[in-house]
Amino acid sequence: MKHLALVFFMSFIVTVGIAGTNGTLEGFVRDKATNEALPNATILLIGTHLGAVSDVKGFYTVNNVPAGTYDVRYSFIGSQTLVMKSVRIRPDLKTRLDIELSQTGVEMAPIEVTAQRPPIQKDVTGTVHTEGGETFTALPVSTVGDIVGLQPGTTLELNIRGGKTTDAVYLVDGLAVQDVIEGGAGGELPQSSIAEMSVQTGGFDPEYGNTLSGVINVITKRGSDKHMFGVRGEKDDLFGGEQVDHRNEVDLYANGPIVQDMYYFGSLDVLHTDTRWWQDFQRFFPAPIERRYSGFGKVDYLVSPALRVSGQLLYSYGKTHDYEYSWRFNLDGLPSRERESYRLAGIVSHTPSDQFFYTASISRYKLNSTINDGPKESIDTTLYQWDFFLRYVVDGQRSWWARREQINNVVKADLTWRPDGHHLIKFGGELNFQEIYSDIERYEPQVNIFGKPFLNKPLLNYSTDFRYFPRTGSAYLQDKFELSNDGMLLNLGVRYEFLDPRAERPIAERTLQPSNEYETTIVSTVPASVKHLFSPRIGFAAPFAVNGYLFINYGQYYQFPLFDYLYSGLNNVSLKKGVGVLVGNPDLKPEGTRAWEMSIKYALKNGVVLSGTYFHKETENMVDVKTFIPTNSSVAGDYGYAEFVNNPYATASGIELMITKEQGSPITGSLSYTFMNAEGISENAREGLQFYQWGFPVPARPFPLSWDQRHSVKLVAMIDLPWDFKLSGTWMYHSGRPYTYFPSKDGFTPEDSTQQFQPNNARMSDFLLLNLKLSWAMTFLETQSRPLRFTVYADARNLLNARNVLWVDSEGRVGGELGDLSAWDPARRIRIGLRLEI
């Protein structure tokens, strides 16, 4: 319990907080004519109580500013007031604005100037891509995942720099919304609630943990001192046709004051769709096939200019129905899925002085997921029926029923202290009190590598039932040390993490009986050990030219195993019966990655920034499955006793080249090229089980992973056109990804019996995708106190209707012998939308 007491002490004595939601505004205020410092100049972020007064050197600092875009007023007695518009504050970073004020003898109207951000962010030593909430309005994107996919180093499936899709962590206002049983994001946000988001693909500061390849942090909007309302509606079937999903979406938001110094923000998104498979679904189910609802609400109370108290609620719900092409004539035999999550959070943010500030939060996150609406007793454990050629499932039901629940109560800590002009010290910690419940009945047929089922073999039993109460926590210390005034920076940090599974690992012995079944005896149990982890983080930045900077960082990163890998099949009933194919291992070690990168950035005079980055990663202790007793047991098939273990490793390295132009007119955007390779001896935690099922040994040498996307080119452009029209587009090219070419004569035997099995020994065709968005905006009643802004847009996905391949079978056939349409990326879809704001 010592580690719990330590982190608890740090969390409450040092103060609790939220990582990555606030930034800093700083700079100098000088006289335009004489260039002398202006002490006691007043700086105010309009619409907030945030501000500062410049010191005797004209320097000012506004700490603890929530990430977002603001108008900032600069005023000084005897000088004309200046308003810098659209000043963007980024989470965890400093925004530098040096201001010159003109002297005036009479009172004059304030001058308004649009802020120009420095082209290179000097106080970050890793790779961070930031996007404002307006990106969703400007570009043909719909989700946070769409934004992540536009960044260099990411693949089609959102693998980041060679990692698995589950390697990234998703945060909302610095707090995780993670599915800790299956991995990935645990909920969705309405577009209208997003103020800012950052995608970190390398060089994570020590405040970020439980991730190996990426940190996606979404910052939500907050209320202002004026009431604002907005609505967005979008359809893809306005003009009929078959290239539609019957997708209908409505997004509403409102914000404004409640009483003096208290503000609200609320948003709601409703999405109904029949999916791309609506022509098959309509024969079995009424529309809509998929329903998704997401909502967000926040209340902020400004107790004083230095103290802010907030409360927020995040809600997400989705219900859909499984689809598989081989079941298209029996879709009612597949189960439905339902997923519901919410998060309640209370936040306190306090700035006692210009030298330090802290925030404090306590939150509760709950995620429920369901597979199959019916009762557990209705599950049919008999094998469903195929046609004569074993291609389509013509009768029966998939034997899959699940009820899962995960609760995470979080206390999180963060303090920022600037003892002098050179050091920025951050310190924090967090505790996670979790409850994990899973009840699953699942039976699957055994299949060979060619996808053909074995009708004469028993179903594999993946059933499990467990409830555990793990504890996790962390603490970190970081110092950003400015070595010189020209931008040389040393970033030193260390992170401590622990995982307490609070479970026992059974010591089981299995003996083969004359009936060809196993008898399992639990000899003893051993408590799973508490895992303690320390990871250094080091970064360095230095100028090498007037507008050129060098960035280097090294770090160790850890991620806790998904709880399904720790606890699945551990209950005594399942163990003694020997019915489970897979058994969890609560003593699994966290996966670990050692990564370093070096990048160079150079800013041209026209606002264009050139950058080049090299990265290298080595990952170990990845999770896979080991079969201890291979046999022909009639109970557990050919697997015997299979358990999750730590073994595989992987490496990834690459080069990212990028050209960006974030400001100016008429064109802004970016062009990036990524060369990357990712190799390992396992692609997923159950791959060892598949090799045993197919009758192949586990590969001893690294092979290209299925997301080994060697070459990627991405173009993002926004163009201002006459008469308030705007055109934006995203164009992506990806070279072919690997697949395993192992042809068969008849679907059961290899075409060449002498051919050695080698995973991912061939590659698919290239991938090319163009999305465009054309919008037109008009403002009515602009001179009134309540102007109305009207925007209409057309959003075309896959405009060229390209036939992009997603998967092929072992024969090299796109979609296999059925020509499965899911093997192709969706065809052209055109969405028509309307947005009103007042």
Side-chain angles (χ1 to χ4, degrees):
M1 295 295 293
K2 291 183 179 179
H3 59 280
L4 284 173
L6 173 64
V7 177
F8 186 87
F9 176 81
M10 289 186 296
S11 298
F12 284 92
I13 299 301
V14 178
T15 316
V16 185
I18 309 170
T21 62
N22 300 326
T24 298
L25 174 65
E26 67 177 27
F28 286 90
V29 183
R30 294 186 174 90
D31 185 280
K32 188 174 184 178
T34 64
N35 200 35
E36 294 180 352
L38 295 180
N40 298 317
T42 301
I43 297 92
L44 176 66
L45 277 68
I46 298 175
T48 75
H49 290 266
L50 299 172
V53 175
S54 61
D55 61 18
V56 293
K57 297 180 180 179
F59 184 76
Y60 70 93
T61 300
V62 187
N63 288 314
N64 208 12
V65 182
T69 302
Y70 301 86
D71 294 341
V72 185
R73 178 185 290 117
Y74 296 84
S75 58
F76 182 74
I77 297 175
S79 297
Q80 187 172 13
T81 298
L82 177 67
V83 176
M84 297 297 293
K85 300 184 70 66
S86 302
V87 177
R88 189 169 162 191
I89 305 298
R90 302 184 179 187
D92 277 339
L93 303 176
K94 292 188 299 184
T95 297
R96 180 70 175 263
L97 277 182
D98 293 332
I99 300 300
E100 294 180 336
L101 298 181
S102 300
Q103 296 181 12
T104 179
V106 296
E107 185 175 347
M108 300 178 65
I111 299 175
E112 293 187 352
V113 179
T114 301
Q116 298 292 317
R117 288 183 287 107
I120 298 177
Q121 192 74 40
K122 304 175 185 178
D123 60 333
V124 55
T125 56
T127 302
V128 182
H129 308 281
T130 60
E131 302 287 349
E134 67 277 3
T135 301
F136 289 99
T137 302
L139 291 177
V141 294
S142 302
T143 65
V144 169
D146 292 340
I147 300 291
V148 175
L150 294 177
Q151 312 308 323
T154 60
T155 69
L156 285 170
E157 291 80 15
L158 305 186
N159 306 89
I160 299 177
R161 286 189 173 178
K164 303 187 298 294
T165 56
T166 55
D167 284 352
V169 63
Y170 288 82
L171 311 173
V172 174
D173 289 334
L175 297 170
V177 286
Q178 202 80 353
D179 186 337
V180 294
I181 296 181
E182 297 181 310
E188 296 183 354
L189 272 172
Q191 279 187 24
S192 57
S193 67
I194 298 176
E196 189 92 7
M197 66 173 286
S198 65
V199 181
Q200 300 189 38
T201 58
F204 319 128
D205 286 343
E207 62 186 299
Y208 297 107
N210 202 26
T211 178
L212 300 180
S213 65
V215 177
I216 294 90
N217 190 12
V218 179
I219 311 301
T220 59
K221 294 179 180 177
R222 59 184 64 241
S224 63
D225 56 357
K226 292 184 179 180
H227 288 289
M228 295 184 65
F229 305 93
V231 58
R232 176 179 62 89
E234 189 176 278
K235 291 177 66 68
D236 74 343
D237 57 358
L238 195 62
F239 304 110
E242 294 188 352
Q243 285 189 333
V244 297
D245 298 335
H246 297 297
R247 184 182 188 278
N248 301 284
E249 184 178 11
V250 176
D251 188 351
L252 305 163
Y253 81 89
N255 76 83
I258 301 175
V259 296
Q260 185 176 358
D261 297 329
M262 182 177 289
Y263 309 95
Y264 75 93
F265 179 89
S267 61
L268 173 67
D269 186 274
V270 177
L271 173 63
H272 286 180
T273 176
D274 289 335
T275 78
R276 61 185 294 197
W277 314 114
W278 60 271
Q279 291 164 308
D280 285 343
F281 271 127
Q282 67 184 357
R283 300 198 300 265
F284 295 89
F285 307 106
I289 300 301
E290 183 176 330
R291 300 175 176 88
R292 284 190 288 171
Y293 311 105
S294 60
F296 178 78
K298 177 188 288 185
V299 174
D300 293 297
Y301 177 49
L302 301 180
V303 181
S304 71
L307 180 62
R308 182 173 63 250
V309 179
S310 303
Q312 60 175 245
L313 170 64
L314 169 64
Y315 177 80
S316 181
Y317 172 85
K319 185 171 184 179
T320 188
H321 202 282
D322 277 359
Y323 179 89
E324 290 184 25
Y325 200 75
S326 60
W327 286 73
R328 60 189 305 225
F329 302 115
N330 185 36
L331 285 177
D332 52 357
L334 292 176
S336 61
R337 293 175 181 261
E338 193 171 2
R339 186 179 174 102
E340 184 178 36
S341 66
Y342 76 83
R343 191 187 73 192
L344 285 168
I347 303 165
V348 176
S349 183
H350 189 204
T351 308
S353 73
D354 292 340
Q355 282 70 44
F356 75 94
F357 64 88
Y358 64 86
T359 55
S361 75
I362 183 169
S363 65
R364 177 180 175 86
Y365 176 69
K366 183 176 181 180
L367 171 62
N368 290 331
S369 58
T370 297
I371 299 176
N372 200 319
D373 287 335
K376 186 176 182 179
E377 296 72 24
S378 65
I379 298 301
D380 185 2
T381 59
T382 60
L383 186 64
Y384 32 84
Q385 298 180 18
W386 277 268
D387 63 10
F388 180 78
F389 299 101
L390 299 180
R391 297 178 303 181
Y392 291 101
V393 178
V394 295
D395 194 19
Q397 293 186 341
R398 169 158 285 171
S399 306
W400 199 351
W401 181 96
R403 301 291 184 270
R404 283 177 161 173
E405 180 180 275
Q406 45 191 295
I407 299 173
N408 191 15
N409 298 309
V410 184
V411 175
K412 193 170 170 57
D414 189 30
L415 178 146
T416 302
W417 176 41
R418 184 191 292 272
D420 54 40
H422 294 284
H423 292 271
L424 182 68
I425 297 174
K426 300 188 71 172
F427 178 81
E430 70 175 74
L431 283 175
N432 296 269
F433 303 90
Q434 296 166 314
E435 180 178 350
I436 308 298
Y437 166 74
S438 181
D439 185 4
I440 296 176
E441 287 286 319
R442 183 182 178 188
Y443 301 84
E444 292 286 347
Q446 299 182 52
V447 297
N448 63 17
I449 189 175
F450 311 110
K452 293 293 187 181
F454 295 109
L455 301 182
N456 59 340
K457 291 188 177 184
L459 297 176
L460 300 176
N461 186 353
Y462 292 90
S463 303
T464 186
D465 181 8
F466 62 78
R467 185 186 295 273
Y468 287 93
F469 302 87
R471 301 286 183 264
T472 63
S474 66
Y476 74 91
L477 176 64
Q478 178 187 24
D479 182 11
K480 286 188 176 181
F481 180 27
E482 296 181 6
L483 301 173
S484 64
N485 294 326
D486 61 354
M488 185 177 293
L489 177 74
L490 182 62
N491 193 350
L492 298 175
V494 63
R495 181 177 179 86
Y496 161 75
E497 298 169 274
F498 76 86
L499 165 64
D500 185 359
R502 304 185 73 197
E504 294 184 337
R505 178 169 53 87
I507 305 300
E509 290 184 356
R510 294 193 175 196
T511 55
L512 184 63
Q513 303 301 306
S515 61
N516 201 34
E517 295 185 0
Y518 278 103
E519 178 179 310
T520 302
T521 303
I522 307 300
V523 179
S524 63
T525 58
V526 178
S529 63
V530 179
K531 311 301 184 299
H532 299 275
L533 309 165
F534 290 91
S535 51
R537 314 282 174 90
I538 303 171
F540 176 74
F544 65 86
V546 176
N547 295 312
Y549 291 85
L550 170 69
F551 301 89
I552 302 174
N553 70 72
Y554 169 83
Q556 293 183 4
Y557 312 102
Y558 293 98
Q559 187 174 50
F560 301 137
L562 297 176
F563 287 125
D564 195 38
Y565 305 157
L566 268 63
Y567 303 132
S568 183
L570 279 189
N571 64 79
N572 287 335
V573 175
S574 296
L575 283 173
K576 289 179 179 179
K577 289 183 178 180
V579 297
V581 171
L582 283 173
V583 176
N585 180 0
D587 246 343
L588 285 174
K589 299 177 182 178
E591 298 182 11
T593 291
R594 295 184 299 272
W596 74 275
E597 69 175 61
M598 180 176 68
S599 62
I600 294 175
K601 297 183 180 180
Y602 189 84
L604 304 180
K605 293 183 178 180
N606 56 2
V608 174
V609 176
L610 309 178
S611 64
T613 302
Y614 172 79
F615 66 88
H616 180 79
K617 300 167 56 176
E618 298 178 357
T619 303
E620 60 185 7
N621 285 330
M622 298 173 66
V623 179
D624 204 346
V625 168
K626 183 176 181 181
T627 301
F628 292 97
I629 311 176
T631 180
N632 289 324
S633 166
S634 60
V635 175
D638 288 338
Y639 298 23
Y641 181 39
E643 184 182 36
F644 289 107
V645 295
N646 292 112
N647 182 31
Y649 68 92
T651 61
S653 59
I655 297 174
E656 299 170 358
L657 305 177
M658 194 171 187
I659 303 173
T660 60
K661 184 177 184 294
E662 296 186 351
Q663 300 176 109
S665 184
I667 300 176
T668 57
S670 65
L671 173 64
S672 67
Y673 165 74
T674 302
F675 171 79
M676 176 172 58
N677 70 338
E679 294 186 340
I681 58 176
S682 178
E683 289 191 339
N684 61 75
R686 292 177 171 84
E687 189 164 59
L689 203 58
Q690 293 174 324
F691 288 139
Y692 278 113
Q693 182 179 352
W694 298 336
F696 298 116
V698 176
R701 297 179 179 179
F703 58 87
L705 301 174
S706 61
W707 55 87
D708 180 44
Q709 197 169 271
R710 293 292 173 91
H711 303 276
S712 297
V713 181
K714 300 177 182 180
L715 173 65
V716 179
M718 291 167 282
I719 306 173
D720 295 328
L721 300 176
W723 304 297
D724 293 319
F725 280 92
K726 293 182 181 294
L727 178 66
S728 66
T730 61
W731 178 84
M732 289 185 285
Y733 163 81
H734 301 296
S735 61
R737 291 165 297 136
Y739 76 96
T740 301
Y741 181 69
F742 196 73
S744 167
K745 298 177 180 179
D746 52 9
F748 288 94
T749 56
E751 186 177 275
D752 181 1
S753 58
T754 64
Q755 179 182 350
Q756 185 177 2
F757 175 78
Q758 177 63 37
N760 292 341
N761 58 347
R763 290 189 177 263
M764 294 181 281
S765 58
D766 296 347
F767 188 101
L768 187 66
L769 183 66
L770 174 64
N771 300 329
L772 283 183
K773 186 174 186 177
L774 179 65
S775 61
W776 176 71
M778 178 62 70
T779 301
F780 299 94
L781 306 175
E782 191 168 3
T783 59
Q784 304 299 315
S785 60
R786 295 182 179 178
L788 173 65
R789 185 172 179 82
F790 169 91
T791 305
V792 61
Y793 62 87
D795 184 336
R797 307 294 172 93
N798 191 7
L799 180 67
L800 302 180
N801 210 29
R803 298 270 286 176
N804 289 312
V805 176
L806 298 178
W807 62 268
V808 300
D809 70 357
S810 59
E811 303 273 355
R813 298 173 298 191
V814 179
E817 63 178 335
L818 298 180
D820 189 339
L821 296 180
S822 68
W824 283 274
D825 201 48
R828 182 190 300 117
R829 297 290 190 271
I830 298 179
R831 305 171 185 176
I832 304 298
L834 175 67
R835 180 183 291 104
L836 295 174
E837 295 175 300
I838 183 171

